[in-house]
């Protein structure tokens, strides 16, 4: 594992590989690495010759009252995991270099990501799209890997990559879960005992909705049952949303019958911790 901070060093390190025609797999992260990140790295290993992982807690995707300062930073542990996963390069740029003094350019996803995370975190996806574009320009990957866990982020990154003609492929890895179903997240470590127990309600609600959809139950009835289950499993959770959406546009769908596939998205707060989850379902099958 070679750890690089300056942008010019990252570019220089990749140049000989690019000249040789090696394929570059890129896994952008904010660190506090867990098995979800590791699964993306393993997918990248299967598909590409050279693996670059970035750790960058991107200030522009956090709102003023969000957890930028409190976001977990666990570099020593992260480095050990990256060595175990046989990663070639760890890119850890400095925020001052990614956003040079007077930086004035930002990618606006405001007309695309208007709902769900886009509504609750107003400039979040502009920050995500801008930093991902900057990282793509630095690393020039052949394939960039993202987790299904952040389904709306996947939709945003795919749209940005397409709209700005980045010559690369976006590949999506499945959501990795704890044994009880809770999706792994860097923020799970902040849940207290009760919150952790209740947090499993998110995946339970999603799986119930999937089961009902596949059994032919209508969207609203399935949604009510899922909400009831969530209230039962997680009485203190504060729900932000639970909806069935088109997986590409993130527009709400009206009924399961109308679609072959869709994504069910859920977000709720457990104390100060906000958790997201989703599943892709195929009610038309
Ligand atoms: P983050 O460090 O949270 O920004 O995540 C970096 C990448 O890992 C993103 O593409 C996430 O979607 C992905 N990721 C996070 N959690 C999981 C998970 N439980 N399973 C699969 N991928 C994940």
């Amino acid at each position: 594992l070679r750890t690089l901070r300056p942008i010019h060093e990252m570019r220089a390190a990749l140049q000989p590989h690019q000249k040789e025609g090696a394929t570059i797999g890129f896994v952008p992260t904010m660190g506090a690495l867990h098995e979800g990140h590791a699964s993306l790295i393993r997918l990248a290993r299967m598909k590409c010759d050279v693996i670059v992982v970035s750790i960058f807690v991107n200030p522009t995707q956090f709102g003023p009252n969000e957890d930028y300062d409190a976001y977990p930073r666990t570099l020593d542990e992260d480095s050990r995991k990256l060595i175990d996963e046989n990663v070639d390069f760890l890119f850890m740029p400095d925020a001052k270099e990614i956003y040079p003094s007077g930086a004035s350019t930002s990618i606006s996803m405001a007309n695309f990501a208007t709902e769900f995370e886009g509504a609750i975190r107003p400039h979040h996806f502009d920050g995500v799209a801008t930093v991902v574009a900057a990282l793509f320009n630095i690393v020039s990957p052949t394939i960039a890997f993202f987790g299904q866990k952040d389904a709306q982020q996947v939709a945003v990154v795919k749209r940005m990559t397409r709209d700005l003609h980045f010559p690369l492929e976006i590949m999506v890895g499945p959501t990795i879960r704890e044994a009880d179903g809770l999706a792994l997240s860097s923020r799970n470590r902040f849940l207290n005992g009760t919150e952790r127990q209740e947090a499993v309600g998110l995946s339970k609600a999603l799986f119930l909705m999937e089961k009902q959809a596949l059994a032919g139950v209508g969207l609203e009835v399935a949604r009510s049952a899922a909400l009831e289950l969530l209230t039962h499993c997680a009485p203190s959770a504060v729900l932000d949303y639970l909806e069935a959406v088109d997986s590409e546009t993130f527009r709400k769908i009206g009924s399961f019958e109308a679609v072959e596939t869709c994504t069910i998205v859920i977000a709720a707060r457990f104390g100060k911790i906000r958790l997201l989850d989703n599943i892709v379902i195929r009610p038309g099958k």
Side-chain angles (χ1 to χ4, degrees):
L1 180 75
R2 253 184 90 189
T3 301
L4 300 160
R5 289 172 187 272
I7 292 172
H8 73 273
E9 283 186 14
M10 182 72 254
R11 284 205 166 111
L14 288 172
Q15 221 174 31
H17 298 286
Q18 282 151 345
K19 270 199 183 136
E20 270 179 7
T23 51
I24 313 287
F26 178 42
V27 183
T29 83
M30 299 207 298
L33 302 179
H34 50 63
E35 274 299 303
H37 302 109
S39 73
L40 289 179
I41 293 168
R42 285 170 208 150
L43 184 60
R45 257 275 151 259
M46 288 191 327
K47 302 280 175 189
C48 294
D49 303 319
V50 175
I51 308 303
V52 182
V53 173
S54 63
I55 296 182
F56 182 61
V57 185
N58 174 34
T60 65
Q61 71 188 66
F62 288 82
N65 299 317
E66 294 180 0
D67 58 350
Y68 175 72
D69 290 325
Y71 199 84
R73 288 159 173 91
T74 58
L75 180 57
D76 291 345
E77 260 175 69
D78 290 353
S79 294
R80 274 196 292 278
K81 287 181 184 158
L82 295 176
I83 291 168
D84 288 346
E85 295 300 334
N86 206 13
V87 167
D88 299 287
F89 297 106
L90 166 59
F91 180 42
M92 289 197 58
D94 195 303
K96 290 199 186 75
E97 204 189 0
I98 292 290
Y99 299 108
S101 158
S104 316
T105 309
S106 152
I107 295 174
S108 170
M109 303 303 298
N111 292 327
F112 178 66
T114 51
E115 290 187 84
F116 308 108
E117 294 308 290
I120 290 166
R121 307 180 70 186
H123 299 289
H124 173 68
F125 285 124
D126 296 353
V128 168
T130 303
V131 81
V132 168
L135 293 169
F136 283 177
N137 279 327
I138 296 163
V139 176
S140 301
T142 318
I143 310 179
F145 296 84
F146 291 84
Q148 175 63 32
K149 159 75 181 8
D150 299 287
Q152 199 175 10
Q153 172 169 281
V154 166
V156 162
V157 167
K158 280 185 171 169
R159 186 58 60 119
M160 181 281 290
T161 302
R162 187 201 74 168
D163 291 352
L164 297 184
H165 309 286
F166 277 97
L168 54 89
E169 187 184 337
I170 304 295
M171 205 168 266
V172 181
T175 301
I176 306 301
R177 300 178 179 281
E178 300 281 6
D180 66 358
L182 175 66
L184 297 193
S185 160
S186 303
R187 292 182 171 102
N188 289 353
R189 72 192 66 205
F190 297 128
L191 297 168
N192 69 28
T194 318
E195 289 161 354
R196 170 64 188 83
Q197 275 176 359
E198 292 197 10
V200 72
L202 294 178
S203 56
K204 283 205 164 133
L206 292 176
F207 294 138
L208 177 65
M209 236 173 123
E210 175 178 40
K211 196 170 137 195
Q212 300 228 333
L214 296 182
V217 176
L219 173 53
E220 277 318 314
V221 175
R223 186 172 176 276
S224 300
L227 286 174
E228 202 173 302
L229 181 64
L230 181 69
T231 312
H232 175 75
C233 296
S236 57
V238 180
L239 182 74
D240 281 336
Y241 54 78
L242 169 64
E243 298 291 348
V245 303
D246 178 280
S247 308
E248 272 178 32
T249 63
F250 264 68
R251 298 255 176 266
K252 264 184 228 175
I253 62 162
S255 77
F256 289 138
E257 291 82 50
V259 298
E260 198 161 290
T261 175
C262 64
T263 302
I264 303 176
V265 290
I266 191 166
R269 278 165 286 148
F270 298 81
K272 286 190 181 132
I273 312 304
R274 234 183 127 244
L275 298 180
L276 315 184
D277 201 350
N278 70 88
I279 48 167
V280 177
I281 68 166
R282 297 185 190 286
K285 290 275 149 90

